[in-house]
PDB file of all heavy atoms in Angstrom:
ATOM      1  N   GLU A  29       4.346   3.268  13.311  1.00  0.00           N
ATOM      2  CA  GLU A  29       4.410   4.733  13.403  1.00  0.00           C
ATOM      3  C   GLU A  29       5.832   5.198  13.718  1.00  0.00           C
ATOM      4  O   GLU A  29       6.349   6.128  13.095  1.00  0.00           O
ATOM      5  CB  GLU A  29       3.445   5.236  14.472  1.00  0.00           C
ATOM      6  CG  GLU A  29       3.465   6.732  14.648  1.00  0.00           C
ATOM      7  CD  GLU A  29       2.542   7.229  15.747  1.00  0.00           C
ATOM      8  OE1 GLU A  29       1.594   6.513  16.128  1.00  0.00           O
ATOM      9  OE2 GLU A  29       2.784   8.351  16.238  1.00  0.00           O
ATOM     10  N   ILE A  30       6.483   4.538  14.666  1.00  0.00           N
ATOM     11  CA  ILE A  30       7.852   4.898  15.040  1.00  0.00           C
ATOM     12  C   ILE A  30       8.788   4.751  13.848  1.00  0.00           C
ATOM     13  O   ILE A  30       9.630   5.617  13.583  1.00  0.00           O
ATOM     14  CB  ILE A  30       8.330   4.035  16.233  1.00  0.00           C
ATOM     15  CG1 ILE A  30       7.565   4.432  17.497  1.00  0.00           C
ATOM     16  CG2 ILE A  30       9.841   4.144  16.427  1.00  0.00           C
ATOM     17  CD1 ILE A  30       7.726   3.462  18.653  1.00  0.00           C
ATOM     18  N   ILE A  31       8.632   3.670  13.104  1.00  0.00           N
ATOM     19  CA  ILE A  31       9.503   3.431  11.942  1.00  0.00           C
ATOM     20  C   ILE A  31       9.248   4.484  10.863  1.00  0.00           C
ATOM     21  O   ILE A  31      10.194   5.029  10.285  1.00  0.00           O
ATOM     22  CB  ILE A  31       9.308   2.000  11.402  1.00  0.00           C
ATOM     23  CG1 ILE A  31       9.770   0.977  12.438  1.00  0.00           C
ATOM     24  CG2 ILE A  31      10.060   1.821  10.082  1.00  0.00           C
ATOM     25  CD1 ILE A  31       9.369  -0.456  12.125  1.00  0.00           C
ATOM     26  N   TYR A  32       7.964   4.776  10.581  1.00  0.00           N
ATOM     27  CA  TYR A  32       7.675   5.794   9.564  1.00  0.00           C
ATOM     28  C   TYR A  32       8.260   7.144   9.967  1.00  0.00           C
ATOM     29  O   TYR A  32       8.802   7.881   9.133  1.00  0.00           O
ATOM     30  CB  TYR A  32       6.172   5.917   9.319  1.00  0.00           C
ATOM     31  CG  TYR A  32       5.600   4.772   8.532  1.00  0.00           C
ATOM     32  CD1 TYR A  32       4.457   4.110   8.968  1.00  0.00           C
ATOM     33  CD2 TYR A  32       6.189   4.343   7.345  1.00  0.00           C
ATOM     34  CE1 TYR A  32       3.918   3.049   8.243  1.00  0.00           C
ATOM     35  CE2 TYR A  32       5.670   3.290   6.618  1.00  0.00           C
ATOM     36  CZ  TYR A  32       4.536   2.648   7.070  1.00  0.00           C
ATOM     37  OH  TYR A  32       4.013   1.602   6.346  1.00  0.00           O
ATOM     38  N   ARG A  33       8.193   7.491  11.240  1.00  0.00           N
ATOM     39  CA  ARG A  33       8.768   8.759  11.703  1.00  0.00           C
ATOM     40  C   ARG A  33      10.292   8.759  11.526  1.00  0.00           C
ATOM     41  O   ARG A  33      10.883   9.780  11.153  1.00  0.00           O
ATOM     42  CB  ARG A  33       8.396   9.019  13.156  1.00  0.00           C
ATOM     43  CG  ARG A  33       6.935   9.387  13.336  1.00  0.00           C
ATOM     44  CD  ARG A  33       6.603   9.641  14.798  1.00  0.00           C
ATOM     45  NE  ARG A  33       5.200   9.869  15.009  1.00  0.00           N
ATOM     46  CZ  ARG A  33       4.558  11.017  14.797  1.00  0.00           C
ATOM     47  NH1 ARG A  33       5.225  12.054  14.346  1.00  0.00           N
ATOM     48  NH2 ARG A  33       3.261  11.121  15.033  1.00  0.00           N
ATOM     49  N   LYS A  34      10.914   7.628  11.767  1.00  0.00           N
ATOM     50  CA  LYS A  34      12.367   7.518  11.585  1.00  0.00           C
ATOM     51  C   LYS A  34      12.729   7.708  10.099  1.00  0.00           C
ATOM     52  O   LYS A  34      13.704   8.387   9.777  1.00  0.00           O
ATOM     53  CB  LYS A  34      12.857   6.151  12.076  1.00  0.00           C
ATOM     54  CG  LYS A  34      14.351   5.958  11.950  1.00  0.00           C
ATOM     55  CD  LYS A  34      14.758   4.562  12.361  1.00  0.00           C
ATOM     56  CE  LYS A  34      15.128   4.564  13.814  1.00  0.00           C
ATOM     57  NZ  LYS A  34      15.724   3.290  14.249  1.00  0.00           N
ATOM     58  N   ILE A  35      11.937   7.126   9.212  1.00  0.00           N
ATOM     59  CA  ILE A  35      12.186   7.280   7.773  1.00  0.00           C
ATOM     60  C   ILE A  35      12.089   8.745   7.382  1.00  0.00           C
ATOM     61  O   ILE A  35      12.962   9.280   6.681  1.00  0.00           O
ATOM     62  CB  ILE A  35      11.183   6.445   6.947  1.00  0.00           C
ATOM     63  CG1 ILE A  35      11.382   4.951   7.185  1.00  0.00           C
ATOM     64  CG2 ILE A  35      11.305   6.775   5.459  1.00  0.00           C
ATOM     65  CD1 ILE A  35      10.254   4.084   6.659  1.00  0.00           C
ATOM     66  N   ILE A  36      11.032   9.414   7.836  1.00  0.00           N
ATOM     67  CA  ILE A  36      10.805  10.815   7.474  1.00  0.00           C
ATOM     68  C   ILE A  36      11.892  11.708   8.066  1.00  0.00           C
ATOM     69  O   ILE A  36      12.299  12.700   7.447  1.00  0.00           O
ATOM     70  CB  ILE A  36       9.394  11.254   7.906  1.00  0.00           C
ATOM     71  CG1 ILE A  36       8.348  10.492   7.078  1.00  0.00           C
ATOM     72  CG2 ILE A  36       9.208  12.765   7.756  1.00  0.00           C
ATOM     73  CD1 ILE A  36       6.930  10.578   7.618  1.00  0.00           C
ATOM     74  N   GLU A  37      12.390  11.345   9.222  1.00  0.00           N
ATOM     75  CA  GLU A  37      13.483  12.096   9.828  1.00  0.00           C
ATOM     76  C   GLU A  37      14.726  12.053   8.941  1.00  0.00           C
ATOM     77  O   GLU A  37      15.408  13.053   8.753  1.00  0.00           O
ATOM     78  CB  GLU A  37      13.796  11.513  11.204  1.00  0.00           C
ATOM     79  CG  GLU A  37      14.848  12.273  11.981  1.00  0.00           C
ATOM     80  CD  GLU A  37      15.068  11.648  13.344  1.00  0.00           C
ATOM     81  OE1 GLU A  37      14.096  11.560  14.110  1.00  0.00           O
ATOM     82  OE2 GLU A  37      16.216  11.226  13.613  1.00  0.00           O
ATOM     83  N   SER A  38      15.009  10.881   8.359  1.00  0.00           N
ATOM     84  CA  SER A  38      16.188  10.760   7.505  1.00  0.00           C
ATOM     85  C   SER A  38      15.926  11.174   6.061  1.00  0.00           C
ATOM     86  O   SER A  38      16.846  11.565   5.359  1.00  0.00           O
ATOM     87  CB  SER A  38      16.746   9.338   7.546  1.00  0.00           C
ATOM     88  OG  SER A  38      15.868   8.450   6.897  1.00  0.00           O
ATOM     89  N   ASP A  39      14.676  11.091   5.613  1.00  0.00           N
ATOM     90  CA  ASP A  39      14.312  11.453   4.245  1.00  0.00           C
ATOM     91  C   ASP A  39      12.950  12.153   4.281  1.00  0.00           C
ATOM     92  O   ASP A  39      11.914  11.501   4.122  1.00  0.00           O
ATOM     93  CB  ASP A  39      14.261  10.208   3.361  1.00  0.00           C
ATOM     94  CG  ASP A  39      13.911  10.516   1.919  1.00  0.00           C
ATOM     95  OD1 ASP A  39      13.703  11.699   1.575  1.00  0.00           O
ATOM     96  OD2 ASP A  39      13.823   9.562   1.122  1.00  0.00           O
ATOM     97  N   PRO A  40      12.925  13.471   4.487  1.00  0.00           N
ATOM     98  CA  PRO A  40      11.663  14.199   4.639  1.00  0.00           C
ATOM     99  C   PRO A  40      10.737  14.132   3.422  1.00  0.00           C
ATOM    100  O   PRO A  40       9.565  14.470   3.525  1.00  0.00           O
ATOM    101  CB  PRO A  40      12.103  15.645   4.884  1.00  0.00           C
ATOM    102  CG  PRO A  40      13.521  15.562   5.317  1.00  0.00           C
ATOM    103  CD  PRO A  40      14.080  14.325   4.677  1.00  0.00           C
ATOM    104  N   LEU A  41      11.248  13.676   2.284  1.00  0.00           N
ATOM    105  CA  LEU A  41      10.440  13.591   1.070  1.00  0.00           C
ATOM    106  C   LEU A  41      10.066  12.156   0.702  1.00  0.00           C
ATOM    107  O   LEU A  41       9.651  11.896  -0.425  1.00  0.00           O
ATOM    108  CB  LEU A  41      11.182  14.243  -0.101  1.00  0.00           C
ATOM    109  CG  LEU A  41      11.578  15.705   0.107  1.00  0.00           C
ATOM    110  CD1 LEU A  41      12.352  16.219  -1.098  1.00  0.00           C
ATOM    111  CD2 LEU A  41      10.366  16.575   0.387  1.00  0.00           C
ATOM    112  N   HIS A  42      10.193  11.235   1.632  1.00  0.00           N
ATOM    113  CA  HIS A  42       9.878   9.826   1.357  1.00  0.00           C
ATOM    114  C   HIS A  42       8.359   9.679   1.257  1.00  0.00           C
ATOM    115  O   HIS A  42       7.634   9.692   2.255  1.00  0.00           O
ATOM    116  CB  HIS A  42      10.449   8.924   2.450  1.00  0.00           C
ATOM    117  CG  HIS A  42      10.488   7.483   2.063  1.00  0.00           C
ATOM    118  ND1 HIS A  42       9.388   6.667   2.133  1.00  0.00           N
ATOM    119  CD2 HIS A  42      11.503   6.733   1.583  1.00  0.00           C
ATOM    120  CE1 HIS A  42       9.716   5.455   1.721  1.00  0.00           C
ATOM    121  NE2 HIS A  42      10.997   5.461   1.383  1.00  0.00           N
ATOM    122  N   ARG A  43       7.883   9.544   0.027  1.00  0.00           N
ATOM    123  CA  ARG A  43       6.447   9.552  -0.254  1.00  0.00           C
ATOM    124  C   ARG A  43       5.685   8.459   0.492  1.00  0.00           C
ATOM    125  O   ARG A  43       4.640   8.713   1.081  1.00  0.00           O
ATOM    126  CB  ARG A  43       6.219   9.408  -1.765  1.00  0.00           C
ATOM    127  CG  ARG A  43       6.723  10.578  -2.552  1.00  0.00           C
ATOM    128  CD  ARG A  43       6.856  10.261  -4.024  1.00  0.00           C
ATOM    129  NE  ARG A  43       5.619   9.803  -4.600  1.00  0.00           N
ATOM    130  CZ  ARG A  43       4.936  10.447  -5.533  1.00  0.00           C
ATOM    131  NH1 ARG A  43       5.380  11.581  -5.990  1.00  0.00           N
ATOM    132  NH2 ARG A  43       3.821   9.949  -6.015  1.00  0.00           N
ATOM    133  N   GLU A  44       6.187   7.249   0.447  1.00  0.00           N
ATOM    134  CA  GLU A  44       5.471   6.135   1.073  1.00  0.00           C
ATOM    135  C   GLU A  44       5.336   6.342   2.582  1.00  0.00           C
ATOM    136  O   GLU A  44       4.273   6.117   3.163  1.00  0.00           O
ATOM    137  CB  GLU A  44       6.191   4.818   0.779  1.00  0.00           C
ATOM    138  CG  GLU A  44       5.508   3.615   1.363  1.00  0.00           C
ATOM    139  CD  GLU A  44       6.235   2.314   1.060  1.00  0.00           C
ATOM    140  OE1 GLU A  44       7.176   2.315   0.247  1.00  0.00           O
ATOM    141  OE2 GLU A  44       5.855   1.304   1.660  1.00  0.00           O
ATOM    142  N   ALA A  45       6.416   6.779   3.217  1.00  0.00           N
ATOM    143  CA  ALA A  45       6.369   6.992   4.664  1.00  0.00           C
ATOM    144  C   ALA A  45       5.420   8.129   5.022  1.00  0.00           C
ATOM    145  O   ALA A  45       4.641   8.017   5.978  1.00  0.00           O
ATOM    146  CB  ALA A  45       7.770   7.268   5.198  1.00  0.00           C
ATOM    147  N   LEU A  46       5.469   9.222   4.272  1.00  0.00           N
ATOM    148  CA  LEU A  46       4.554  10.337   4.535  1.00  0.00           C
ATOM    149  C   LEU A  46       3.103   9.895   4.401  1.00  0.00           C
ATOM    150  O   LEU A  46       2.273  10.191   5.261  1.00  0.00           O
ATOM    151  CB  LEU A  46       4.834  11.492   3.570  1.00  0.00           C
ATOM    152  CG  LEU A  46       6.103  12.295   3.825  1.00  0.00           C
ATOM    153  CD1 LEU A  46       6.407  13.206   2.639  1.00  0.00           C
ATOM    154  CD2 LEU A  46       5.975  13.101   5.107  1.00  0.00           C
ATOM    155  N   PHE A  47       2.828   9.194   3.325  1.00  0.00           N
ATOM    156  CA  PHE A  47       1.449   8.757   3.084  1.00  0.00           C
ATOM    157  C   PHE A  47       0.982   7.776   4.157  1.00  0.00           C
ATOM    158  O   PHE A  47      -0.084   7.947   4.750  1.00  0.00           O
ATOM    159  CB  PHE A  47       1.323   8.111   1.702  1.00  0.00           C
ATOM    160  CG  PHE A  47      -0.050   7.603   1.432  1.00  0.00           C
ATOM    161  CD1 PHE A  47      -1.043   8.454   1.000  1.00  0.00           C
ATOM    162  CD2 PHE A  47      -0.365   6.271   1.644  1.00  0.00           C
ATOM    163  CE1 PHE A  47      -2.332   7.992   0.771  1.00  0.00           C
ATOM    164  CE2 PHE A  47      -1.644   5.803   1.424  1.00  0.00           C
ATOM    165  CZ  PHE A  47      -2.627   6.668   0.979  1.00  0.00           C
ATOM    166  N   ASN A  48       1.775   6.748   4.412  1.00  0.00           N
ATOM    167  CA  ASN A  48       1.353   5.720   5.364  1.00  0.00           C
ATOM    168  C   ASN A  48       1.260   6.257   6.788  1.00  0.00           C
ATOM    169  O   ASN A  48       0.353   5.874   7.534  1.00  0.00           O
ATOM    170  CB  ASN A  48       2.279   4.510   5.298  1.00  0.00           C
ATOM    171  CG  ASN A  48       2.051   3.708   4.037  1.00  0.00           C
ATOM    172  OD1 ASN A  48       1.017   3.801   3.406  1.00  0.00           O
ATOM    173  ND2 ASN A  48       3.039   2.926   3.669  1.00  0.00           N
ATOM    174  N   LEU A  49       2.162   7.163   7.165  1.00  0.00           N
ATOM    175  CA  LEU A  49       2.060   7.751   8.496  1.00  0.00           C
ATOM    176  C   LEU A  49       0.780   8.576   8.600  1.00  0.00           C
ATOM    177  O   LEU A  49       0.072   8.511   9.609  1.00  0.00           O
ATOM    178  CB  LEU A  49       3.288   8.604   8.814  1.00  0.00           C
ATOM    179  CG  LEU A  49       3.288   9.253  10.201  1.00  0.00           C
ATOM    180  CD1 LEU A  49       3.173   8.202  11.312  1.00  0.00           C
ATOM    181  CD2 LEU A  49       4.544  10.100  10.392  1.00  0.00           C
ATOM    182  N   ALA A  50       0.450   9.328   7.558  1.00  0.00           N
ATOM    183  CA  ALA A  50      -0.793  10.104   7.569  1.00  0.00           C
ATOM    184  C   ALA A  50      -2.000   9.199   7.747  1.00  0.00           C
ATOM    185  O   ALA A  50      -2.891   9.487   8.552  1.00  0.00           O
ATOM    186  CB  ALA A  50      -0.915  10.915   6.280  1.00  0.00           C
ATOM    187  N   GLN A  51      -2.026   8.083   7.025  1.00  0.00           N
ATOM    188  CA  GLN A  51      -3.170   7.172   7.131  1.00  0.00           C
ATOM    189  C   GLN A  51      -3.231   6.532   8.511  1.00  0.00           C
ATOM    190  O   GLN A  51      -4.304   6.377   9.097  1.00  0.00           O
ATOM    191  CB  GLN A  51      -3.104   6.093   6.049  1.00  0.00           C
ATOM    192  CG  GLN A  51      -3.080   6.636   4.636  1.00  0.00           C
ATOM    193  CD  GLN A  51      -4.091   7.729   4.396  1.00  0.00           C
ATOM    194  OE1 GLN A  51      -5.278   7.582   4.663  1.00  0.00           O
ATOM    195  NE2 GLN A  51      -3.622   8.859   3.889  1.00  0.00           N
ATOM    196  N   LEU A  52      -2.090   6.181   9.043  1.00  0.00           N
ATOM    197  CA  LEU A  52      -2.036   5.559  10.365  1.00  0.00           C
ATOM    198  C   LEU A  52      -2.490   6.538  11.449  1.00  0.00           C
ATOM    199  O   LEU A  52      -3.252   6.180  12.353  1.00  0.00           O
ATOM    200  CB  LEU A  52      -0.605   5.081  10.636  1.00  0.00           C
ATOM    201  CG  LEU A  52      -0.347   4.242  11.856  1.00  0.00           C
ATOM    202  CD1 LEU A  52      -1.194   2.976  11.828  1.00  0.00           C
ATOM    203  CD2 LEU A  52       1.127   3.859  11.903  1.00  0.00           C
ATOM    204  N   LEU A  53      -2.069   7.793  11.321  1.00  0.00           N
ATOM    205  CA  LEU A  53      -2.435   8.797  12.320  1.00  0.00           C
ATOM    206  C   LEU A  53      -3.917   9.145  12.281  1.00  0.00           C
ATOM    207  O   LEU A  53      -4.467   9.609  13.280  1.00  0.00           O
ATOM    208  CB  LEU A  53      -1.586  10.058  12.141  1.00  0.00           C
ATOM    209  CG  LEU A  53      -0.117   9.919  12.529  1.00  0.00           C
ATOM    210  CD1 LEU A  53       0.658  11.159  12.121  1.00  0.00           C
ATOM    211  CD2 LEU A  53       0.034   9.633  14.009  1.00  0.00           C
ATOM    212  N   LYS A  54      -4.559   8.924  11.151  1.00  0.00           N
ATOM    213  CA  LYS A  54      -5.993   9.210  11.058  1.00  0.00           C
ATOM    214  C   LYS A  54      -6.783   8.397  12.077  1.00  0.00           C
ATOM    215  O   LYS A  54      -7.879   8.780  12.453  1.00  0.00           O
ATOM    216  CB  LYS A  54      -6.517   8.921   9.654  1.00  0.00           C
ATOM    217  CG  LYS A  54      -6.156   9.973   8.662  1.00  0.00           C
ATOM    218  CD  LYS A  54      -6.728   9.658   7.292  1.00  0.00           C
ATOM    219  CE  LYS A  54      -6.337  10.740   6.306  1.00  0.00           C
ATOM    220  NZ  LYS A  54      -6.913  10.491   4.981  1.00  0.00           N
ATOM    221  N   LEU A  55      -6.212   7.300  12.532  1.00  0.00           N
ATOM    222  CA  LEU A  55      -6.892   6.449  13.495  1.00  0.00           C
ATOM    223  C   LEU A  55      -6.967   7.075  14.880  1.00  0.00           C
ATOM    224  O   LEU A  55      -7.858   6.753  15.656  1.00  0.00           O
ATOM    225  CB  LEU A  55      -6.185   5.090  13.587  1.00  0.00           C
ATOM    226  CG  LEU A  55      -6.082   4.297  12.284  1.00  0.00           C
ATOM    227  CD1 LEU A  55      -5.202   3.072  12.483  1.00  0.00           C
ATOM    228  CD2 LEU A  55      -7.460   3.910  11.794  1.00  0.00           C
TER     229      LEU A  55
END
Side-chain angles (χ1 to χ4, degrees):
E29 179 182 339
I30 291 167
I31 295 168
Y32 286 131
R33 288 180 185 280
K34 181 184 267 188
I35 295 167
I36 293 166
E37 184 178 302
S38 70
D39 181 0
L41 303 178
H42 195 279
R43 294 164 57 115
E44 181 180 351
L46 287 168
F47 178 82
N48 287 340
L49 181 58
Q51 302 315 307
L52 188 58
L53 289 172
K54 283 181 180 182
L55 302 172

